[in-house]
Amino acid sequence: MEEDCEFRHWDELIPDALGLIFKNLSLQEILTVIPRVCKSWGKAVRGPYCWQEIDIEQWSELRRPETLDRMLQMLITWSSGSLRKLCVSGLPCDQSLSFIADHAKSLQTLQLPRSEIGNEIVEQVAWRLSTITFLDISHCRNIGAPALEAIGKHCKSLTRLRRTMHPLELIDKLSQDDEALVIAATMPKLRHLELAYLLISTESVLKILSSCPELEFLDVRGCWNVILDEKIVKRFSGVKVIGPPPIDCCKMTGWDDCSNSGSSRYLSWDFVAGEIDDDYYEDMSDAAWEDDQSMEEVLPLLWIML
């Protein structure tokens, strides 16, 4: 009797329970190991419960554009419209964003750092991203104020925006005040805003502080033209700020230096640390996951499962 009580039919767990379990595993384990255990697990991997949250940001950083695009389409298709969170680095083209928007009816978190998307495609699809509450478009060099305006106009539930850059990505720019002013004009519900190293002025930051009454956190590290006096400090005392330290950015050699959230000249502010089917699987070996060339051979096998 005791043995019967301890025995569990793991292959009979309902798909949503399996999804909760599998989400603690790596992408490699989910796609290449789990489907080999039993047919029901393989079926669960190809179902929506495993892909309500897709985080392939780290995996995507060193992938070829075509490999990344195929993986993204496969996983989003498997999500069957239930996708709530998507994190991917280096989105290769405008078509990729359009595909995401087509499946974004439940999307709340969208993180697309270092993507190649431009203003035009963002303006076209922003209305289909109306449910997002957190957007990360850091290091996206091809977008600017027009894209942010479209996002602010259509994404009324947006409460968190990350728009940070590296100083070397801004060499050809004179100012990004237009971006800051658009944020102030169209995103009044923001609570968390990261603008590290943008080329913005004190006036633009004041406009944001005045227009976003719910703002609780503001990151303006590396915004060297931003100077806030004691009067401003008292006026917006409820905002936690990370400000630019008195260091010459030209003397910095890398991002690690720029990301240092050390001492600041705005000591009176409340500073905080930066937050800042199954037969195909049998043929796949762990070694096939190691590099891009092998991944290109593996993905067609996965794609056949769609």
Side-chain angles (χ1 to χ4, degrees), residues 144-163:
L148 288 169
E149 184 174 15
I151 291 167
K153 178 181 178 181
H154 295 286
C155 304
K156 297 300 184 181
S157 299
L158 192 67
T159 59
R160 181 174 179 180
L161 175 66
R162 181 178 295 151
R163 174 61 171 156

Side-chain angles (χ1 to χ4, degrees), residues 201-239:
S201 64
T202 303
E203 290 73 18
S204 296
V205 172
L206 287 177
K207 191 66 175 178
I208 291 174
L209 290 170
S210 300
S211 304
C212 302
E214 299 179 32
L215 194 64
E216 300 172 353
F217 179 93
L218 177 63
D219 182 357
V220 289
R221 289 174 299 166
C223 301
W224 312 110
N225 294 324
V226 175
I227 301 175
L228 305 171
D229 59 28
E230 290 300 324
K231 291 183 179 179
I232 299 173
V233 170
K234 293 179 180 179
R235 182 180 174 187
F236 301 103
S237 59
V239 182

Side-chain angles (χ1 to χ4, degrees), residues 164-209:
T164 63
M165 301 292 286
H166 188 289
L168 295 179
E169 296 168 337
L170 304 174
I171 291 179
D172 60 340
K173 295 183 180 295
L174 296 177
S175 172
Q176 290 174 291
D177 278 328
D178 56 344
E179 294 189 22
L181 294 175
V182 162
I183 291 172
T186 63
M187 304 180 189
K189 292 186 179 181
L190 284 179
R191 296 180 181 177
H192 185 113
L193 178 59
E194 299 179 40
L195 301 175
Y197 301 98
L198 260 63
L199 301 176
I200 56 179
S201 64
T202 303
E203 290 73 18
S204 296
V205 172
L206 287 177
K207 191 66 175 178
I208 291 174
L209 290 170

Side-chain angles (χ1 to χ4, degrees), residues 17-47:
L18 290 173
L20 290 174
I21 296 172
F22 296 162
K23 69 183 294 185
N24 297 307
L25 304 176
S26 68
L27 182 66
Q28 176 183 355
E29 291 172 325
I30 294 175
L31 293 181
T32 64
V33 177
I34 293 301
R36 300 175 183 175
V37 176
C38 60
K39 289 186 177 181
S40 63
W41 285 23
K43 184 178 180 180
V45 165
R46 299 187 296 277

